[in-house]
Amino acid sequence: MTDNSENLDKHTGPTESSPLPMIIKFSPQSGTDAEWNEALTRVEDYLRANRIHSRIHQNILILRILKKAAARHAESPKLNPTVIAVEEARELVDRRMAQLSGLFDIKPYRPDLAGRVAFMLADGPSRSPEYLLRDDDVPEQLSQSIRKHSLQASPDMAVSAMVPRPIDLGLIPDVAEFTWDLIDRRPLLRMFVLWAIFLLMMLGLFFIIRGRF
Amino acid sequence: MEQRTSKYRLQRRRITYFTLVFITTVVGTWLFADNIWGKTSDLTALQWALLLVFIPLFYQLASGSWVAALGVWVRYVQRKNPLSIEATLPLEKEHEVPLASTAIIVPVFNEDVDRVFAGVRSVYESVKRTGNLDSFDIFILSDSDNPNRWVEEEIAWMNLVQSLDAFGKIFYRKRRQAINRKSGNVADFCRRWGKRYRYMIVFDADSVMSGETMSRMVRLMEKNPQCGILQTPPRHVNADTIFGRIFQFANSLYGPIFMAGLNYWQAGESTFWGHNAIIRLAPFIQYCALPDLPGKEPFGGRILSHDLVEAALMRKAGYAVWLAPELTGSFEEGPPTLVDSLKRDRRWCQGNLQHSWLLFAKGWRGMSRLNLFQGVLSYLVSPLWFSFLILATLSASHWRDVSVVKPDPDSFHIVEQIFPSSNPEKPLDPQEQAWANALKDVFRTVRNFTDETPSEMPMYVLLGLTVCLLFLPKFGIAFLVLCSRRRSLLFGGRGAFILSFILESIFFFLLAPILMVFHARFVLLILFGQGVRWITQRRNISGGLDWREPVLTFGGTTLLGLAWGASAYMVYPVFFWWILPVLLGMVLSIPFAIITSHPMRYAPKSRSGLFRTPELVAEPLVLRELRANLAAMSSKQAIFDPIGTDHAMQLARLDPYINSLYNSLVSENKSLPEDTRRSYERLLDQTLGELRRNVASIANRYEPIDVLRADHGLALVMLDPYINALHCVLLRERKSLPSESRIYYGRIRARILSEGPGVVARKDKLALLYDADSLAWLHRKLWSLPASQIAECWRVAMRQYNIISKEEPLERV
């Protein structure tokens, strides 16, 4: 929070020509400009995907994330700055989201994911966009909203046994099933049966046209 | 005492109905037999075959006509049916009966997500208006195996719950294994949550029911504890093609009469159609689980048309199955084109023919057997009719030869058959001779009266009888509508109604032979072991069918009609003119299918118009809301249409900000007063204009993400942190994964990241969507890997993702 406050303190105030008059101090000790630019772009995309639409919030977060990433990169210069920066961004977001899951009665399997869904359902990105910028507890307004908007895919199960009871189909289906099964297992027999049906049909047709009962 | 009276009354009704059908069938058969007897001195094998085929056909015709006649009697003469379930709870006493916990279940399988959720929204709002929301929960039970549809459903469900504030009231369940199709889906619900509810109301994906209707259904069930299933007659609505509109018109015009007629004699042993019905869950769970039939599909295996069997099982368990013809507020949608209607018929045909196994099962009630038999017969009549026409064509040459022979003016073949006097070895005794003479006198009188030849008279009477059975109920119902100004206004006024009625009659006149050919073909294919796959129904179509599909589907039917006509003309020109009406439908099947698939949308402001129905003229609120919801969704799509680039559409799909923004605009829009709404709409138009410009500018700046278009569901789950979280949270927790599975998932994940989703098979993508760990991993990796290590399409997608939301106009909104 201190880092963030420092930056905010240095605001000169918005003007028509410059909507974001923020002094940015970022001078990584390792990595190239191109690498850090790629990292910045990716973090920016990632924050937008998280519905952080406010430019001010975006920039504050990006700066904080990149500073942390730069510190880590100085210790392990072989790592890609993009990887480190997005890991930092994700860690920040996940931590705050997991914190939200503490509001649930039952601890979820994946606290960060459950918290993220809760944050979205509570319209967190629009109503409490500053939540990600802070390190303190969940604001009361947001926690109330999350408790109210808890997503439930299904109610608690009340299991019943729905077991099919056999239907006594009588003798005809038994014979039919036996015949069907027999014909199915023996392709030659099947062929003869089809021939016989065809023959009977032709005979029937002949009698129908020519014959008399 | 009252129960005994009801039983006696029902018995009397059934005796009346079956006697009427029996007498009509016997008279028709007698006339037909006399007609063919009149042509020759003795019946040939061909004529015997004709007679045998004629009997079930005429029975079917007679039973349908008498159902309609009884329906007219109940609705217009009797007016109030004392043996209906609705009579047990008068409307004014309805509120004395408390409601009970009820689940509304909506099974879906790769359906149009917008339509399904627009319907659920309307239903929810309708229930909310009744103030009975506490008694109802809604479950969307998905069996969708299309990855895109699955993800779309999840997002739509979340949006719906959020916008309606329906947390804990609307639920979504995706089944991992879609065993036993729709009935398996419903059974799965019963096993998991059946005990929580006393009733469930089963919907189809296109069903809509009003809150008042559903509340009344629950109360009727509460009032009648022995009722296991209560079926409403759903009205067809929302058709937007000529085909659909005519079916909708016929359904509204004749449907209520037929339902009333069926209910008259079926009473508590009615049938169940699988949707728009309420079911008592405890006996359903206990007695209605479906076993497999012997043998393999298509005849055996899993029961396809589960509804009739479930009704029979419910009856066997001692519970009644009622139809409630007077209950309004229950709606469904029909197929938009002839091709779609035939695809549906193919499935139903297989399902109904499977019931042949069950006809002789032990323990069924007689009425259940009859219902099953009627179901089988409804498809068997087509091959029977087809055979009848073939046999008639074959016998035409024979008739041509015999018709030139002058019949003996004093010969009476039927009398000769009953009392054969030509055998010198066995002369008739005086009593038999007296009967024979008396019969001859009767026939002579009739003959003299009609002044016809002996063989032609029965034919004309039979023709008259058939025409009466076919058209009298139809014309009778139409006449009753015309008699009342109020009723005719519900069909668009007298002029529009008459024109619609004539066109509808021509439509069904041409349609019947096409259905005959196709149903006969379906029966044959099923008999030869060709089953059907479970496919999603096409419930709407824009712009009508092109030529290709109808030509491929109906080319054979057209050729058959032409060849048949030519043969009939060559054999006996007189017969050709007799059979021409049937051949006409077959020959014209291609243009018929194309023309009737053309759009025919309802224009509410136009006062006159064809194929109006009461639901169109005085649209129920729940349907009005459904239309508004659908219009809102389609206008969301229309934002991007003017740009005309698929890329823009793709971006729009990918951008959750646009989706959520528009959803919130639409939901707010509905609750505003009229003047505010208008000014709001202006603002909306302005915003949409800006949106269009933004999308257009992006479409010019970036290359389309073709690779992702086909896999937008998976792309959303991988890209969007919230949708990824939602999808993973909805998946069942997995304790451990076998090493083979881990290797399998690892391989797919690596390919998707490095080569894009297009290179992976659909079943693999579907498998991946079931694995929460893989999806969380993919999401993490996709965002964190350097650009050089992921596929080009992902790089572009990440850059373009949400780029529209960055535009200033949206920020202002």
Side-chain angles (χ1 to χ4, degrees), chain B residues 333-352:
Chain B
E333 292 172 9
T337 69
L338 177 57
V339 175
D340 297 294
S341 175
L342 289 171
K343 281 179 191 165
R344 188 184 68 174
D345 281 356
R346 171 95 197 258
R347 263 196 342 270
W348 285 0
C349 177
Q350 185 176 330
N352 281 20

PDB file of all heavy atoms in Angstrom, chain B residues 333-352:
ATOM      1  N   GLU B 333     -42.367 -24.551 -28.958  1.00  0.00           N
ATOM      2  CA  GLU B 333     -42.124 -24.129 -30.335  1.00  0.00           C
ATOM      3  C   GLU B 333     -42.038 -25.355 -31.224  1.00  0.00           C
ATOM      4  O   GLU B 333     -41.583 -26.413 -30.790  1.00  0.00           O
ATOM      5  CB  GLU B 333     -40.823 -23.327 -30.405  1.00  0.00           C
ATOM      6  CG  GLU B 333     -40.958 -21.987 -29.697  1.00  0.00           C
ATOM      7  CD  GLU B 333     -39.652 -21.232 -29.566  1.00  0.00           C
ATOM      8  OE1 GLU B 333     -38.656 -21.650 -30.168  1.00  0.00           O
ATOM      9  OE2 GLU B 333     -39.642 -20.226 -28.839  1.00  0.00           O
ATOM     10  N   GLY B 334     -42.473 -25.186 -32.456  1.00  0.00           N
ATOM     11  CA  GLY B 334     -42.444 -26.298 -33.399  1.00  0.00           C
ATOM     12  C   GLY B 334     -41.258 -26.183 -34.327  1.00  0.00           C
ATOM     13  O   GLY B 334     -40.550 -25.176 -34.323  1.00  0.00           O
ATOM     14  N   PRO B 335     -41.031 -27.215 -35.135  1.00  0.00           N
ATOM     15  CA  PRO B 335     -39.916 -27.136 -36.081  1.00  0.00           C
ATOM     16  C   PRO B 335     -40.191 -26.071 -37.154  1.00  0.00           C
ATOM     17  O   PRO B 335     -41.332 -25.901 -37.566  1.00  0.00           O
ATOM     18  CB  PRO B 335     -39.858 -28.536 -36.699  1.00  0.00           C
ATOM     19  CG  PRO B 335     -41.140 -29.183 -36.357  1.00  0.00           C
ATOM     20  CD  PRO B 335     -41.725 -28.491 -35.190  1.00  0.00           C
ATOM     21  N   PRO B 336     -39.142 -25.374 -37.604  1.00  0.00           N
ATOM     22  CA  PRO B 336     -39.379 -24.260 -38.537  1.00  0.00           C
ATOM     23  C   PRO B 336     -39.615 -24.686 -39.984  1.00  0.00           C
ATOM     24  O   PRO B 336     -40.210 -23.930 -40.736  1.00  0.00           O
ATOM     25  CB  PRO B 336     -38.092 -23.438 -38.423  1.00  0.00           C
ATOM     26  CG  PRO B 336     -37.045 -24.396 -37.999  1.00  0.00           C
ATOM     27  CD  PRO B 336     -37.731 -25.446 -37.190  1.00  0.00           C
ATOM     28  N   THR B 337     -39.125 -25.848 -40.358  1.00  0.00           N
ATOM     29  CA  THR B 337     -39.276 -26.257 -41.761  1.00  0.00           C
ATOM     30  C   THR B 337     -39.718 -27.714 -41.849  1.00  0.00           C
ATOM     31  O   THR B 337     -39.645 -28.460 -40.859  1.00  0.00           O
ATOM     32  CB  THR B 337     -37.947 -26.132 -42.535  1.00  0.00           C
ATOM     33  OG1 THR B 337     -37.054 -27.122 -42.034  1.00  0.00           O
ATOM     34  CG2 THR B 337     -37.320 -24.765 -42.390  1.00  0.00           C
ATOM     35  N   LEU B 338     -40.103 -28.097 -43.050  1.00  0.00           N
ATOM     36  CA  LEU B 338     -40.517 -29.484 -43.275  1.00  0.00           C
ATOM     37  C   LEU B 338     -39.358 -30.446 -43.003  1.00  0.00           C
ATOM     38  O   LEU B 338     -39.544 -31.511 -42.408  1.00  0.00           O
ATOM     39  CB  LEU B 338     -41.014 -29.633 -44.723  1.00  0.00           C
ATOM     40  CG  LEU B 338     -41.423 -31.031 -45.166  1.00  0.00           C
ATOM     41  CD1 LEU B 338     -42.503 -31.610 -44.281  1.00  0.00           C
ATOM     42  CD2 LEU B 338     -41.921 -31.002 -46.618  1.00  0.00           C
ATOM     43  N   VAL B 339     -38.169 -30.041 -43.432  1.00  0.00           N
ATOM     44  CA  VAL B 339     -37.000 -30.907 -43.226  1.00  0.00           C
ATOM     45  C   VAL B 339     -36.795 -31.152 -41.732  1.00  0.00           C
ATOM     46  O   VAL B 339     -36.573 -32.291 -41.301  1.00  0.00           O
ATOM     47  CB  VAL B 339     -35.738 -30.262 -43.857  1.00  0.00           C
ATOM     48  CG1 VAL B 339     -34.501 -31.084 -43.560  1.00  0.00           C
ATOM     49  CG2 VAL B 339     -35.921 -30.096 -45.358  1.00  0.00           C
ATOM     50  N   ASP B 340     -36.893 -30.112 -40.942  1.00  0.00           N
ATOM     51  CA  ASP B 340     -36.703 -30.259 -39.493  1.00  0.00           C
ATOM     52  C   ASP B 340     -37.814 -31.086 -38.866  1.00  0.00           C
ATOM     53  O   ASP B 340     -37.581 -31.874 -37.945  1.00  0.00           O
ATOM     54  CB  ASP B 340     -36.649 -28.888 -38.829  1.00  0.00           C
ATOM     55  CG  ASP B 340     -35.476 -28.087 -39.327  1.00  0.00           C
ATOM     56  OD1 ASP B 340     -34.346 -28.492 -39.059  1.00  0.00           O
ATOM     57  OD2 ASP B 340     -35.704 -27.082 -40.022  1.00  0.00           O
ATOM     58  N   SER B 341     -39.018 -30.898 -39.393  1.00  0.00           N
ATOM     59  CA  SER B 341     -40.145 -31.666 -38.877  1.00  0.00           C
ATOM     60  C   SER B 341     -39.931 -33.157 -39.152  1.00  0.00           C
ATOM     61  O   SER B 341     -40.202 -34.006 -38.296  1.00  0.00           O
ATOM     62  CB  SER B 341     -41.420 -31.173 -39.558  1.00  0.00           C
ATOM     63  OG  SER B 341     -42.500 -31.956 -39.186  1.00  0.00           O
ATOM     64  N   LEU B 342     -39.403 -33.469 -40.335  1.00  0.00           N
ATOM     65  CA  LEU B 342     -39.171 -34.878 -40.670  1.00  0.00           C
ATOM     66  C   LEU B 342     -38.053 -35.483 -39.823  1.00  0.00           C
ATOM     67  O   LEU B 342     -38.131 -36.647 -39.430  1.00  0.00           O
ATOM     68  CB  LEU B 342     -38.836 -35.011 -42.159  1.00  0.00           C
ATOM     69  CG  LEU B 342     -40.013 -34.765 -43.104  1.00  0.00           C
ATOM     70  CD1 LEU B 342     -39.561 -34.709 -44.546  1.00  0.00           C
ATOM     71  CD2 LEU B 342     -41.080 -35.838 -42.942  1.00  0.00           C
ATOM     72  N   LYS B 343     -37.033 -34.664 -39.548  1.00  0.00           N
ATOM     73  CA  LYS B 343     -35.942 -35.169 -38.693  1.00  0.00           C
ATOM     74  C   LYS B 343     -36.492 -35.541 -37.311  1.00  0.00           C
ATOM     75  O   LYS B 343     -36.110 -36.547 -36.728  1.00  0.00           O
ATOM     76  CB  LYS B 343     -34.858 -34.091 -38.540  1.00  0.00           C
ATOM     77  CG  LYS B 343     -33.939 -33.990 -39.740  1.00  0.00           C
ATOM     78  CD  LYS B 343     -32.931 -32.881 -39.507  1.00  0.00           C
ATOM     79  CE  LYS B 343     -32.186 -32.583 -40.795  1.00  0.00           C
ATOM     80  NZ  LYS B 343     -31.465 -31.305 -40.717  1.00  0.00           N
ATOM     81  N   ARG B 344     -37.372 -34.689 -36.812  1.00  0.00           N
ATOM     82  CA  ARG B 344     -37.973 -34.971 -35.505  1.00  0.00           C
ATOM     83  C   ARG B 344     -38.851 -36.207 -35.584  1.00  0.00           C
ATOM     84  O   ARG B 344     -38.830 -37.055 -34.694  1.00  0.00           O
ATOM     85  CB  ARG B 344     -38.781 -33.754 -35.064  1.00  0.00           C
ATOM     86  CG  ARG B 344     -39.286 -33.839 -33.651  1.00  0.00           C
ATOM     87  CD  ARG B 344     -40.162 -32.673 -33.302  1.00  0.00           C
ATOM     88  NE  ARG B 344     -41.413 -32.705 -34.051  1.00  0.00           N
ATOM     89  CZ  ARG B 344     -42.419 -31.857 -33.856  1.00  0.00           C
ATOM     90  NH1 ARG B 344     -42.298 -30.902 -32.972  1.00  0.00           N
ATOM     91  NH2 ARG B 344     -43.532 -31.937 -34.548  1.00  0.00           N
ATOM     92  N   ASP B 345     -39.617 -36.311 -36.679  1.00  0.00           N
ATOM     93  CA  ASP B 345     -40.495 -37.470 -36.846  1.00  0.00           C
ATOM     94  C   ASP B 345     -39.706 -38.771 -36.883  1.00  0.00           C
ATOM     95  O   ASP B 345     -40.166 -39.804 -36.423  1.00  0.00           O
ATOM     96  CB  ASP B 345     -41.301 -37.334 -38.148  1.00  0.00           C
ATOM     97  CG  ASP B 345     -42.473 -36.388 -37.972  1.00  0.00           C
ATOM     98  OD1 ASP B 345     -42.677 -35.927 -36.846  1.00  0.00           O
ATOM     99  OD2 ASP B 345     -43.178 -36.113 -38.961  1.00  0.00           O
ATOM    100  N   ARG B 346     -38.529 -38.711 -37.461  1.00  0.00           N
ATOM    101  CA  ARG B 346     -37.704 -39.913 -37.563  1.00  0.00           C
ATOM    102  C   ARG B 346     -37.382 -40.435 -36.156  1.00  0.00           C
ATOM    103  O   ARG B 346     -37.427 -41.630 -35.884  1.00  0.00           O
ATOM    104  CB  ARG B 346     -36.426 -39.563 -38.340  1.00  0.00           C
ATOM    105  CG  ARG B 346     -35.366 -40.625 -38.350  1.00  0.00           C
ATOM    106  CD  ARG B 346     -35.456 -41.503 -39.574  1.00  0.00           C
ATOM    107  NE  ARG B 346     -34.731 -42.724 -39.409  1.00  0.00           N
ATOM    108  CZ  ARG B 346     -33.541 -42.977 -39.930  1.00  0.00           C
ATOM    109  NH1 ARG B 346     -32.979 -42.088 -40.708  1.00  0.00           N
ATOM    110  NH2 ARG B 346     -32.945 -44.124 -39.725  1.00  0.00           N
ATOM    111  N   ARG B 347     -37.036 -39.514 -35.284  1.00  0.00           N
ATOM    112  CA  ARG B 347     -36.733 -39.904 -33.895  1.00  0.00           C
ATOM    113  C   ARG B 347     -37.971 -40.454 -33.208  1.00  0.00           C
ATOM    114  O   ARG B 347     -37.928 -41.491 -32.560  1.00  0.00           O
ATOM    115  CB  ARG B 347     -36.258 -38.662 -33.132  1.00  0.00           C
ATOM    116  CG  ARG B 347     -34.808 -38.512 -33.027  1.00  0.00           C
ATOM    117  CD  ARG B 347     -34.358 -37.521 -31.968  1.00  0.00           C
ATOM    118  NE  ARG B 347     -35.335 -36.577 -31.483  1.00  0.00           N
ATOM    119  CZ  ARG B 347     -35.561 -35.387 -32.007  1.00  0.00           C
ATOM    120  NH1 ARG B 347     -34.890 -35.006 -33.062  1.00  0.00           N
ATOM    121  NH2 ARG B 347     -36.446 -34.554 -31.489  1.00  0.00           N
ATOM    122  N   TRP B 348     -39.082 -39.733 -33.383  1.00  0.00           N
ATOM    123  CA  TRP B 348     -40.316 -40.159 -32.726  1.00  0.00           C
ATOM    124  C   TRP B 348     -40.766 -41.507 -33.259  1.00  0.00           C
ATOM    125  O   TRP B 348     -41.279 -42.341 -32.518  1.00  0.00           O
ATOM    126  CB  TRP B 348     -41.407 -39.110 -32.968  1.00  0.00           C
ATOM    127  CG  TRP B 348     -41.238 -37.860 -32.152  1.00  0.00           C
ATOM    128  CD1 TRP B 348     -40.234 -37.603 -31.258  1.00  0.00           C
ATOM    129  CD2 TRP B 348     -42.080 -36.709 -32.142  1.00  0.00           C
ATOM    130  NE1 TRP B 348     -40.407 -36.352 -30.705  1.00  0.00           N
ATOM    131  CE2 TRP B 348     -41.523 -35.783 -31.222  1.00  0.00           C
ATOM    132  CE3 TRP B 348     -43.245 -36.361 -32.809  1.00  0.00           C
ATOM    133  CZ2 TRP B 348     -42.103 -34.551 -30.966  1.00  0.00           C
ATOM    134  CZ3 TRP B 348     -43.816 -35.121 -32.542  1.00  0.00           C
ATOM    135  CH2 TRP B 348     -43.255 -34.229 -31.636  1.00  0.00           C
ATOM    136  N   CYS B 349     -40.588 -41.685 -34.565  1.00  0.00           N
ATOM    137  CA  CYS B 349     -41.010 -42.930 -35.195  1.00  0.00           C
ATOM    138  C   CYS B 349     -40.263 -44.114 -34.557  1.00  0.00           C
ATOM    139  O   CYS B 349     -40.873 -45.107 -34.170  1.00  0.00           O
ATOM    140  CB  CYS B 349     -40.701 -42.843 -36.691  1.00  0.00           C
ATOM    141  SG  CYS B 349     -41.089 -44.324 -37.598  1.00  0.00           S
ATOM    142  N   GLN B 350     -38.947 -43.961 -34.437  1.00  0.00           N
ATOM    143  CA  GLN B 350     -38.166 -45.040 -33.829  1.00  0.00           C
ATOM    144  C   GLN B 350     -38.616 -45.295 -32.393  1.00  0.00           C
ATOM    145  O   GLN B 350     -38.783 -46.441 -31.981  1.00  0.00           O
ATOM    146  CB  GLN B 350     -36.685 -44.687 -33.863  1.00  0.00           C
ATOM    147  CG  GLN B 350     -35.799 -45.803 -33.350  1.00  0.00           C
ATOM    148  CD  GLN B 350     -34.324 -45.474 -33.492  1.00  0.00           C
ATOM    149  OE1 GLN B 350     -33.932 -44.751 -34.401  1.00  0.00           O
ATOM    150  NE2 GLN B 350     -33.518 -46.004 -32.611  1.00  0.00           N
ATOM    151  N   GLY B 351     -38.836 -44.206 -31.678  1.00  0.00           N
ATOM    152  CA  GLY B 351     -39.265 -44.340 -30.283  1.00  0.00           C
ATOM    153  C   GLY B 351     -40.608 -45.029 -30.179  1.00  0.00           C
ATOM    154  O   GLY B 351     -40.795 -45.926 -29.346  1.00  0.00           O
ATOM    155  N   ASN B 352     -41.537 -44.646 -31.024  1.00  0.00           N
ATOM    156  CA  ASN B 352     -42.882 -45.237 -30.939  1.00  0.00           C
ATOM    157  C   ASN B 352     -42.868 -46.701 -31.374  1.00  0.00           C
ATOM    158  O   ASN B 352     -43.573 -47.527 -30.796  1.00  0.00           O
ATOM    159  CB  ASN B 352     -43.857 -44.448 -31.800  1.00  0.00           C
ATOM    160  CG  ASN B 352     -44.308 -43.174 -31.107  1.00  0.00           C
ATOM    161  OD1 ASN B 352     -43.640 -42.713 -30.187  1.00  0.00           O
ATOM    162  ND2 ASN B 352     -45.416 -42.611 -31.531  1.00  0.00           N
TER     163      ASN B 352
END
